[in-house]
Amino acid sequence: MATTDRSSGGDPARTLSLLWRDAREPATGQRGPRPAQSVDKIVDAALALADAEGLGVVSMRRVAQALKVAPMSIYTYVPGKAELIDLMLDTVYARMPRREPAGTQWRDRVTAVADDNRDLFERHPWLAAVSTNRPTLGPGAIAKYDYELRALDGVGLDDVDLDAALTLVLGFVQTCARAAADLRTAHQESAMNDEQWWAANQPLLAKMFDAERFPLASRVGAAAGAAHGSAYDPAHAYAFGLARVLDGLAVLIERRSGT
């Protein structure tokens, strides 16, 4: 079974100490030589590696190589990859740009939150593959959570439903991001885009596929393929799916508010 990277996989005490380290960093006014490395430098090097080559290549050794230091020297600052992943996650959350909603309604606010997260996954594709069922509990993650909850605050949901509604939206965005990442990987591995792949495989499929036996699949598949130029269009799937998620939340909000 393939190993899945996940948040909060390291030592809780060490991880929390690192995540909330601002007040614990050595004062710059201290005498003596300044440290050659810092937690921030290590995290930035790890992020650059993950963004360029994927999270799978990130190791303490590779980060040390990027910083041109001995691997053991960075263990002084970060005890291992599990803690490093939490630091990477919390850092990108803290740096995450936030757009202004297009309007004042809750749908506009939630759409802005969803679009912000979609952009985050596009800037850092490795994020989509990280399991965050146990959140990092760092300042970046908590600030992100607090900000995004406000998109639905005051619409009539209780706190449990408020959390569940946000989780639903963010889970949908992450699912779309994973599908988009899988499609990019398929393009890279086959050296063909979807249009080229279908052009190469359609003659073979035509020999096997019986349209009379599967009339509905034939009709709908042809219509979708003609509309998207492929079997799957990430942008259409995101726009269509987000609208349906918001429609579902609208029903819940109306029911809770009695309207």
Side-chain angles (χ1 to χ4, degrees), residues 18-84:
L18 285 166
L19 290 170
W20 295 87
R21 67 189 179 279
D22 285 349
R24 306 173 67 88
E25 291 281 15
T28 56
Q30 289 181 333
R31 292 184 177 182
R34 297 185 63 177
Q37 305 302 326
S38 69
V39 173
D40 289 339
K41 286 183 179 180
I42 293 168
V43 173
D44 285 341
L47 287 173
L49 277 172
D51 290 345
E53 303 180 50
L55 189 59
V57 308
V58 176
S59 66
M60 302 300 279
R61 181 173 295 276
R62 281 295 304 275
V63 172
Q65 289 174 350
L67 293 170
K68 299 181 180 179
V69 297
M72 291 305 298
S73 66
I74 66 174
Y75 284 99
T76 305
Y77 300 89
V78 180
K81 184 177 178 180
E83 292 81 7
L84 180 59

Side-chain angles (χ1 to χ4, degrees), residues 201-211 213-214:
N201 288 279
Q202 195 278 333
L204 298 174
L205 179 62
K207 293 179 180 180
M208 307 292 180
F209 181 68
D210 184 353
R213 183 181 178 189
F214 306 106

Side-chain angles (χ1 to χ4, degrees), residues 93 96 109-121 127-128 130 132-133 135 140-152 162-178 238 241-242 245-246 249:
Y93 293 156
M96 181 178 177
R109 298 194 300 270
V110 175
T111 297
V113 166
D115 289 346
D116 287 345
N117 280 273
R118 187 185 185 212
D119 289 349
L120 185 69
F121 286 123
L127 270 175
V130 179
T132 55
N133 290 331
I142 292 176
K144 178 178 182 291
Y145 179 59
D146 185 83
Y147 170 79
E148 292 171 349
L149 284 171
R150 294 179 220 164
L152 285 161
L162 189 60
D163 174 81
L166 178 59
T167 300
L168 172 66
V169 172
L170 298 185
F172 163 75
V173 177
Q174 185 171 22
T175 298
C176 287
R178 285 176 176 168
Y238 174 77
L242 180 60
V245 169
L246 297 180
L249 289 178

